[in-house]
Amino acid sequence: MREIKFENGVLELVGEFDYKLSKAEIKCLKSLKAEALNLQSLSKIDYSVAIFLAKTYDCPKLINSNAKFDKIFELVSNKPILDMKIPNLSQLNLIESLGKSFLDIKVNLVNFCVFLGEFLFNLIKIILNPLNLRFKELSNHFKDAGIKAVFIVCLTSFLIGIVLAYQGASMLENFGASIFVVDIMGIMTLREVGPLIAAIVVAGRSASSYTAQIGVMKITEEIDAMKTMGFEPFKFIVVPRVLALILAMPVVVFLANGISLLGQMLVCNWYLDLSFMDYIERFRSSVELRHFWVGVLKAPFFGAAIGLIGCMRGFEVSGSTNSVGDLTTKSVVNAIFWIIALDAAFSIIYTELEI
């Protein structure tokens, strides 16, 4: 309950005056020309109302005040505070938004290059002295990022294999060339689809996991504690994770290829009445082994991109837990983008080299 009393230039405030003032009360206070404030019946006032009164009545004289209210009005009567203007945040137009986006891309690219350089520096140090590599962490991350991802990768690859075989067989059937589904889908699976599907699924699992793990370590100050104790966070946190993905990805891609081909084999057997042995014989005679190596060769690069982006975003976490969620989402999006960009680069290189 609050009340406003005004008499002979003295404004008496009764009750609590805080940010909950109504528009009518604010309008009433603005209409008065008070020279002094009587605070005898004032039980509470916050800084927002104190600043408002100081600005409206130009630092009025206080009557029946106490030490607490004196300190509040003494602080808010400071001219720099009263004259402070908060700039209005204007919405960026299209050109400004595009410019900001390009600057963000540039900053992210520079940060990634710096992070990559630091990783390569630590990797060379470990190659020169392999005993510095923490094999226990490496095996644990290999299990988490590789072995535990096998089921979902294989299931996804199996379903994609079925879809490809169905679509390919139905289209080729129109030209009376259904048997070529083995050649076309087999090559496509080994060169592109198998590695790409495996990398995207692993990116969804591991990039987000790495960012969240490192982000939480940063918020709980575990990384600062490691530095205080003389441990290098990059060597203990980043290198085992990225190396684990580099080693695990070729294995995951190999299994994804096999399961995807199994799905295609089942479809060909059911839809085209092609026996398993005939499928294997056709596949062996028409699909060269180089297509397998072309796909597997890309896997370590995909693993490195996923690991580096996941770890880099984790180190960017700061302040609150909200940033963990934001950067986790960003790391997955970035990892998938760079996987597709790397795949496009490999396709151009392979085509130019006629591999």
Side-chain angles (χ1 to χ4, degrees):
M1 183 67 184
R2 55 179 163 261
E3 189 176 353
I4 298 171
K5 298 179 181 177
F6 183 71
E7 186 176 359
N8 298 328
V10 177
L11 174 64
E12 183 177 359
L13 303 175
V14 181
E16 298 183 354
F17 283 74
D18 53 20
Y19 64 94
K20 296 178 183 176
L21 283 179
S22 65
K23 289 183 179 179
E25 289 170 326
I26 293 173
K27 189 176 180 181
C28 173
L29 288 170
K30 279 185 174 179
S31 66
L32 302 175
K33 294 185 179 180
E35 298 173 356
L37 296 178
N38 186 352
L39 307 182
Q40 184 177 15
S41 303
L42 179 66
S43 57
K44 176 186 173 184
I45 188 169
D46 66 7
Y47 283 95
S48 63
V49 178
I51 291 173
F52 168 73
L53 295 175
K55 290 187 74 171
T56 304
Y57 305 128
D58 193 18
C59 304
K61 180 183 175 184
L62 302 182
I63 302 173
N64 298 323
S65 181
N66 56 34
K68 179 181 174 184
F69 295 150
D70 284 342
K71 286 183 180 178
I72 293 175
F73 277 95
E74 182 181 357
L75 177 64
V76 302
S77 297
N78 189 314
K79 283 294 180 186
I81 294 178
L82 289 179
D83 296 338
M84 185 184 297
K85 293 188 181 300
I86 300 175
N88 293 326
L89 294 176
S90 59
Q91 195 169 6
L92 299 179
N93 58 36
L94 179 61
I95 296 176
E96 289 172 332
S97 299
L98 285 174
K100 187 175 182 300
S101 299
F102 280 118
L103 284 176
D104 289 342
I105 291 172
K106 177 191 170 187
V107 170
N108 284 326
L109 198 58
V110 171
N111 290 340
F112 180 76
C113 290
V114 172
F115 199 81
L116 176 62
E118 193 169 358
F119 170 75
L120 293 176
F121 176 73
N122 282 275
L123 185 62
I124 291 171
K125 286 202 309 186
I126 286 175
I127 291 173
L128 295 177
N129 190 0
L131 292 178
N132 283 336
L133 180 61
R134 300 185 63 80
F135 289 98
K136 186 177 179 182
E137 279 78 5
L138 178 65
S139 63
N140 286 337
H141 291 306
F142 183 90
K143 182 185 73 175
D144 291 337
I147 296 174
K148 289 186 178 178
V150 165
F151 175 74
I152 186 65
V153 169
C154 289
L155 180 61
T156 308
S157 300
F158 180 75
L159 296 174
I160 294 292
I162 289 175
V163 172
L164 287 176
Y166 259 118
Q167 295 299 319
S170 62
M171 291 178 68
L172 290 170
E173 192 177 31
N174 297 329
F175 304 99
S178 302
I179 190 62
F180 287 106
V181 70
V182 180
D183 311 37
I184 297 172
M185 296 305 159
I187 293 172
M188 189 186 298
T189 299
L190 295 181
R191 291 182 68 102
E192 298 295 337
V193 178
L196 206 54
I197 294 298
I200 289 173
V201 174
V202 171
R205 287 185 80 255
S206 299
S208 58
S209 170
Y210 287 179
T211 303
Q213 288 172 2
I214 297 172
V216 171
M217 290 174 71
K218 200 168 177 193
I219 287 177
T220 56
E221 300 182 349
E222 287 181 54
I223 295 177
D224 292 335
M226 291 177 69
K227 291 178 183 175
T228 304
M229 289 186 288
F231 297 111
E232 296 179 35
F234 212 94
K235 173 183 167 186
F236 285 84
I237 295 174
V238 178
V239 174
R241 283 175 167 81
V242 178
L243 274 183
L245 273 178
I246 291 174
L247 297 174
M249 278 304 295
V251 180
V252 175
V253 168
F254 171 76
L255 294 173
N257 287 342
I259 296 296
S260 183
L261 292 175
L262 176 63
Q264 295 175 26
M265 195 185 299
L266 291 173
V267 172
C268 289
N269 179 258
W270 182 80
Y271 190 75
L272 302 176
D273 200 21
L274 186 68
S275 69
F276 292 159
M277 291 308 299
D278 290 339
Y279 181 96
I280 294 172
E281 183 61 30
R282 176 77 186 182
F283 185 86
R284 192 176 65 82
S285 62
S286 58
V287 181
E288 298 177 33
L289 185 61
R290 66 184 173 92
H291 299 301
F292 167 75
W293 291 115
V294 163
V296 171
L297 185 63
K298 296 187 282 188
F301 293 92
F302 290 163
I306 296 167
L308 286 170
I309 291 169
C311 293
M312 186 185 77
R313 293 301 184 198
F315 277 97
E316 289 177 356
V317 169
S318 61
S320 65
T321 52
N322 287 338
S323 66
V324 177
D326 294 341
L327 287 164
T328 298
T329 305
K330 193 179 284 187
S331 73
V332 174
V333 174
N334 292 160
I336 292 174
F337 169 79
W338 281 110
I339 287 167
I340 295 172
L342 279 174
D343 192 58
F346 272 108
S347 294
I348 294 171
I349 293 170
Y350 288 150
T351 303
E352 292 296 322
L353 296 177
E354 299 181 354
I355 297 176

